[in-house]
Amino acid sequence: MADSPETINVNKFISDSGLCSRREADELIRQGKVTINGQVAALGNRVTAADEVLVNGKPIQQREQTVYLAFHKPVGITCTTDQSIEDNIIDYIGYPNRIFPVGRLDKMSEGLIFLTNDGDIVNKILRAANNHEKEYVVNVDQPVTTDFVQKMSNGVPILDTLTRKCKVVKEGPFTFRIVLTQGLNRQIRRMCEYLGFRVTRLRRVRIMHVNLGTLPVGKWRYLDAIEVKELQRKVEPSVKTADQRFAGENPPFRKKK
């Protein structure tokens, strides 16, 4: 086959399906176990998505292409995959393929949230022990004082635990910026409530290296190649877990009973 941007080596085509590695695919080709459109394949053959590739007489099923979305969630949208819930994030976005929110923002909060069909990376990101930073800009109903900033920074007792020390910076008379490495349920709101403050607006502006930037409320964009590569690099040391607890959610690939 002629080489072109639309063709890939048949060993990569097989490897991309998740069946085996490229080296193992080469061995299958050497053994005559791979056919392309009915013809026995040879090492170096190239194929397109329109070609029929069989291994041991069975068609290769290509894995769904992974997608990574950054979404500016509006207030009032619920971060759930349960489409029976009104104003759920899945129906709001209306993406044509099955995707899942990575973690959540409570209904009255807004800002950056990831959505993806990559279940492996979902589990890795959600492990609190991975220390992935999340940054928020928060408005409260009382003046932000030095004492408030210090107490928020040093940890607040909520949900039978003391929150981790974190970076808190005063942004304005009633506004502060906070960087967390935890994902406790309604953590910032509970921390503020413990200190006698009420949150009037909460907006997440960064997850790890990805910034909300100028993305309009209610809009989404694809993470670019550099962002995805860095995301994969940062979560690579993470250990997957089968029983990861979500704040109010079932794991994304487990059906509700």
Side-chain angles (χ1 to χ4, degrees):
M1 292 183 183
D3 195 352
S4 77
E6 292 78 26
T7 68
I8 62 171
N9 196 300
V10 65
N11 67 353
K12 184 176 188 301
F13 185 87
I14 296 170
S15 175
D16 286 350
S17 75
L19 179 67
C20 61
S21 68
R22 287 199 201 186
R23 182 175 298 179
E24 291 167 333
D26 283 341
E27 185 59 30
L28 290 169
I29 293 168
R30 290 190 188 96
Q31 294 172 6
K33 296 181 178 180
V34 179
T35 63
I36 304 172
N37 300 326
Q39 302 295 314
V40 176
L43 292 174
N45 281 164
R46 300 183 71 83
V47 296
T48 72
D51 291 314
E52 181 186 55
V53 179
L54 306 183
V55 175
N56 291 322
K58 297 181 180 180
I60 291 295
Q61 299 295 328
Q62 287 297 296
R63 287 187 294 195
E64 183 181 21
Q65 183 179 5
T66 52
V67 294
Y68 305 92
L69 277 55
F71 174 53
H72 189 161
K73 186 190 92 67
V75 171
I77 298 301
T78 301
C79 295
T80 180
T81 57
D82 186 348
Q83 291 175 268
S84 68
I85 294 178
E86 188 177 4
D87 297 323
N88 68 82
I89 193 170
I90 301 303
D91 284 343
Y92 184 91
I93 291 178
Y95 194 75
N97 299 327
R98 192 182 185 203
I99 54 174
F100 309 91
V102 183
R104 65 184 300 161
L105 279 170
D106 67 59
K107 187 172 183 177
M108 298 313 296
S109 298
E110 63 182 280
L112 181 62
I113 187 166
F114 295 156
L115 295 101
T116 182
N117 58 355
D118 184 348
D120 181 42
I121 215 166
V122 169
N123 286 334
K124 289 178 177 181
I125 291 174
L126 290 180
R127 286 179 61 85
N130 291 333
N131 298 313
H132 301 313
E133 289 188 347
K134 299 178 290 292
E135 184 173 347
Y136 304 79
V137 175
V138 187
N139 293 70
V140 288
D141 63 343
Q142 299 179 51
V144 175
T145 62
T146 302
D147 180 63
F148 172 83
V149 169
Q150 183 178 20
K151 288 178 178 177
M152 288 285 286
S153 302
N154 288 332
V156 175
I158 63 169
L159 298 174
D160 299 320
T161 189
L162 184 67
T163 59
R164 291 179 188 166
K165 290 187 177 183
C166 59
K167 182 179 179 181
V168 180
V169 177
K170 180 177 179 178
E171 291 271 299
F174 296 87
T175 307
F176 66 94
R177 186 177 296 261
I178 182 170
V179 179
L180 298 179
T181 57
Q182 280 178 295
L184 301 178
N185 188 286
R186 301 180 70 249
Q187 180 171 345
I188 295 173
R189 295 182 188 275
R190 292 178 190 275
M191 291 171 72
C192 289
E193 287 169 4
Y194 180 85
L195 298 175
F197 287 68
R198 182 177 62 85
V199 171
T200 57
R201 186 187 184 195
L202 192 155
R203 182 165 57 104
R204 184 156 64 195
V205 296
R206 178 173 65 88
I207 301 173
M208 290 184 277
H209 58 287
V210 179
N211 290 288
L212 182 64
T214 57
L215 185 64
V217 175
K219 300 297 183 181
W220 61 267
R221 67 172 178 84
Y222 290 109
L223 298 190
D224 63 39
I226 294 175
E227 289 172 327
V228 171
K229 185 175 181 179
E230 180 66 6
L231 181 64
Q232 292 170 336
R233 185 191 70 80
K234 286 184 173 180
V235 303
E236 186 56 35
S238 305
V239 178
K240 289 184 291 182
T241 177
D243 61 352
Q244 170 66 42
R245 298 288 181 107
F246 287 66
E249 284 280 11
N250 289 326
F253 290 100
R254 186 178 301 161
K255 292 183 179 180
K256 293 185 177 181
K257 294 182 179 180

